[in-house]
Amino acid sequence: MKLWKLMMAGVVALGLAGAVVTAEPATVTAQASDNITIDGKFSDWDNVHLTENNNGYMALVSSGKYVNVYVKMKYSQVPGHGDYIITIGGKTYHAWFDDIGNVNKGDVKNFTLTGGSDYDGHQYGNVGTGYASNDGSHNIAEFRLDLTKFGLSKSADGDEVGITNSNIGSDAATTKVDAIENDTDSTATATSGVINGKADSSSKATTTTDNDANNDNDNLNIKIDGKFADWKNVTLTEGYNGYTAMVTDGDKVYVYVKMKYGMVPGYGDYNFDFNGKKIFVFSKDIPYNPVSHGSATKVTFRAGNYNEDTSDSSYGTVGDGYVSSDSEGHNIAEFQIDVSKLKLSSMTGQTITMYNPNIGDKKVTVAGGSTGPYVIAGIGVLIAGFGYWRLRKSGKLKRRQNDAAGK
């Protein structure tokens, strides 16, 4: 017993000694990112390596989910367009801001960057902010990009990120992503982007996990009511003149439209394909003039078997929707089509595509039918697996197997 007590005392003493050793303060080496602040004061970039190009210099410093960017021009103003082309993980993204012109020495101008999947694209909304100034000889700028706005998450940690701008030069400034702190919602990872910044004070749920949301649509939270915030996390498909999105719950098809230029088209028509059956949807009610932000005009939609044939009454009125404008001045619309009025035998398992040539030639696609049974089946598998693990853990499973074998 004495020997046991002596051994235990030794263990405790060793543990206390270890605690004293580990409590000794560690030496921390500051990262370059610790010294960069995007505040319109540029001296914190003095010791950062610059990548030289024919018309200017650029530097990047990673900071968690952000990439800090510095630009110094040789001859001209800091470019807002170009765009700033970001490459990471084999994918390409775009960021840009409105041209700010030459800045006088000592003056500082702030700007906001917009993100897209192509030149001057809007799919990712606001992705960063920055400042432009003049050091007495050169126009300069610094800005910060939020990588999570592009749908990037922790999986990008350690990846090299490079940025070029054709108005600065072709050589990329690079750095490595050091630690994206928060994973983004999985709905934001699609390459065609998500809708951003359309919420208003009267809108309902803005995420698909809000238990108080009015879930009309297999938890997609889409309701055609002239309030557009419920489309916030639905993927957009870009065309040359606008963007479209589409979802379905098996009974109705829900469509969102955002224009780059001009009014939402009533004709075109909206060319639907239900597993090979083509149906053309149009509206005579779309207003000729923009509807102001915060207001919405209700419209109805008809459908026929022939493109732009307004006399075709094959299906009559098949849906309704609303037309409005977002906070950036883009004309937008949302509408729903009642599939039961299209004389289709079933939506289950069908692939639905849609495009409007007045928006672009890219088709947006969804699969028909509810996902509910698959979710329930998945939960059943998890419950069964957990039950099996508990039985094995308790030893009851082995005893039952022995009983069945007559042991």
Side-chain angles (χ1 to χ4, degrees), residues 122 195-199 228 256-259 291-295 324-333:
H122 291 79
I195 302 165
N196 187 65
K198 295 189 282 62
F228 296 84
Y256 173 83
V257 176
K258 177 180 177 180
M259 302 302 293
V291 179
S292 61
H293 176 57
S295 300
S324 186
S325 296
D326 67 10
S327 59
E328 298 175 334
H330 300 285
N331 290 289
I332 57 176

Side-chain angles (χ1 to χ4, degrees), residues 4-24:
W4 172 254
K5 290 182 178 179
L6 182 61
M7 290 172 62
M8 291 305 296
V11 170
V12 171
L14 183 61
L16 290 173
V20 172
V21 171
T22 55
E24 185 176 329

Side-chain angles (χ1 to χ4, degrees), residues 42-60:
F42 298 85
S43 59
D44 44 358
W45 290 96
D46 287 348
N47 296 318
V48 178
H49 172 73
L50 299 179
T51 298
E52 182 175 6
N53 275 280
N54 57 290
N55 195 34
Y57 308 84
M58 194 183 301
L60 307 185

Side-chain angles (χ1 to χ4, degrees), residues 26-68:
T27 301
V28 179
T29 303
Q31 300 288 327
S33 59
D34 295 337
N35 302 319
I36 300 297
T37 304
I38 305 302
D39 55 4
K41 303 172 184 176
F42 298 85
S43 59
D44 44 358
W45 290 96
D46 287 348
N47 296 318
V48 178
H49 172 73
L50 299 179
T51 298
E52 182 175 6
N53 275 280
N54 57 290
N55 195 34
Y57 308 84
M58 194 183 301
L60 307 185
V61 172
S62 181
S63 178
K65 65 178 182 177
Y66 301 105
V67 171
N68 298 317

Side-chain angles (χ1 to χ4, degrees), residues 53-56 58 71 73 76-86 94-96 119-120 163-173:
N53 275 280
N54 57 290
N55 195 34
M58 194 183 301
V71 176
M73 303 303 293
S76 58
Q77 65 188 43
V78 173
H81 297 273
D83 295 332
Y84 293 88
I85 300 175
I86 306 146
H94 291 249
W96 57 274
Y119 287 92
D120 291 355
I163 298 181
T164 59
N165 186 304
S166 59
N167 291 318
I168 300 173
S170 58
D171 290 340

Side-chain angles (χ1 to χ4, degrees), residues 178-350:
D178 55 16
I180 295 182
E181 298 158 0
N182 298 309
D183 281 319
T184 55
D185 190 285
S186 59
T187 56
T189 60
T191 56
S192 54
V194 293
I195 302 165
N196 187 65
K198 295 189 282 62
D200 57 38
S201 59
S202 60
S203 62
K204 55 181 186 307
T206 57
T207 69
T208 57
T209 57
D210 188 339
N211 293 326
D212 296 324
N214 185 353
N215 295 330
D216 311 77
N217 201 19
D218 275 359
N219 292 326
L220 291 169
N221 293 338
I222 300 298
K223 185 177 181 181
I224 305 302
D225 55 4
K227 304 168 186 175
F228 296 84
D230 43 358
W231 289 96
K232 180 179 179 181
N233 291 319
V234 181
T235 300
L236 285 174
T237 295
E238 181 176 10
Y240 48 80
N241 197 34
Y243 310 87
T244 53
M246 182 167 62
V247 297
T248 181
D249 59 5
D251 297 319
K252 292 182 179 180
V253 176
Y254 305 83
V255 177
Y256 173 83
V257 176
K258 177 180 177 180
M259 302 302 293
K260 294 179 181 178
Y261 322 102
M263 283 299 299
V264 171
Y267 295 98
D269 294 322
Y270 294 89
N271 293 237
F272 282 86
D273 187 310
F274 296 86
N275 262 21
K277 182 173 182 179
K278 292 179 170 54
I279 296 176
F280 301 91
V281 174
F282 59 91
S283 176
K284 299 179 180 180
D285 302 332
I286 303 291
Y288 290 104
N289 297 313
V291 179
S292 61
H293 176 57
S295 300
T297 298
K298 188 169 184 178
V299 295
T300 59
F301 287 82
R302 299 173 63 83
N305 290 319
Y306 303 98
N307 193 26
E308 294 194 330
D309 185 354
T310 57
S311 63
D312 186 356
S313 300
S314 301
Y315 306 101
T317 300
V318 296
D320 56 22
Y322 292 88
V323 178
S324 186
S325 296
D326 67 10
S327 59
E328 298 175 334
H330 300 285
N331 290 289
I332 57 176
E334 62 175 359
F335 63 89
Q336 60 190 359
I337 301 300
D338 187 342
V339 177
S340 66
K341 297 184 178 181
L342 301 180
K343 303 176 184 178
L344 297 170
S345 57
S346 173
M347 282 284 290
T348 304
Q350 290 204 32

